[in-house]
Amino acid sequence: QIQLEESGGDLVQAGGSLTLSCAAHGFTVEDYAIAWVRQAPGKEREVISCVGAGDDDPYYTDSMKGRFTVTRDIAKNTVDLQMNSLQPEDTAVYTCAAARGGTRLAILYYSAMDYWGKGTLVTVSS
């Protein structure tokens, strides 16, 4: 059964760092575009990044460049999201999604994603 499972969400102080992990079950992350999005309370879903199938050059939304880094770990079959200099406005549910054979731009069309995780909560206190 194909599943995505996020982990690593936590309460962190402003200025801190956190690494989230998206574990793939039932498929190999190398064969899929894997994306990270977030949704803050009362706000629209927001794209963070997407790494394409077989591609190591992730796409980042402009506002996410610099503080967020996505890394695909073939050995662990995960795609990790490293977040630095976190601020209260980064508080959100962070979710990963996968598209079989997708490119780094697959996440620009949510309907193109085949599978979604349930999300993990990140809370940044001031």
Side-chain angles (χ1 to χ4, degrees):
Q1 183 178 0
I2 290 181
Q3 283 184 323
L4 292 168
E5 182 179 14
E6 302 91 343
S7 62
D10 205 347
L11 171 64
V12 62
Q13 287 190 333
S17 298
L18 203 60
T19 298
L20 306 182
S21 187
C22 173
H25 302 285
F27 69 96
T28 302
V29 292
E30 192 173 19
D31 297 334
Y32 282 67
I34 307 292
W36 279 98
V37 303
R38 70 182 185 184
Q39 188 163 19
K43 293 190 176 181
E44 295 287 322
R45 186 165 44 186
E46 189 176 22
V47 173
I48 300 171
S49 178
C50 184
V51 57
D55 183 2
D56 290 327
D57 181 23
Y59 162 84
Y60 294 94
T61 297
D62 285 345
S63 61
M64 306 296 176
K65 291 179 181 178
R67 294 193 302 124
F68 294 82
T69 303
V70 164
T71 305
R72 178 160 44 200
D73 190 322
I74 302 298
K76 295 192 303 180
N77 208 33
T78 64
V79 174
D80 299 331
L81 176 65
Q82 170 72 38
M83 306 184 293
N84 299 319
S85 302
L86 287 165
Q87 299 301 317
E89 52 266 33
D90 293 315
T91 294
V93 174
Y94 287 71
T95 304
C96 62
R100 182 166 51 191
T103 71
R104 61 198 289 272
L105 300 181
I107 191 55
L108 297 183
Y109 304 95
Y110 292 143
S111 60
M113 308 309 287
D114 297 310
Y115 305 101
W116 292 83
K118 294 182 179 180
T120 186
L121 177 63
V122 173
T123 304
V124 184
S125 63
S126 57

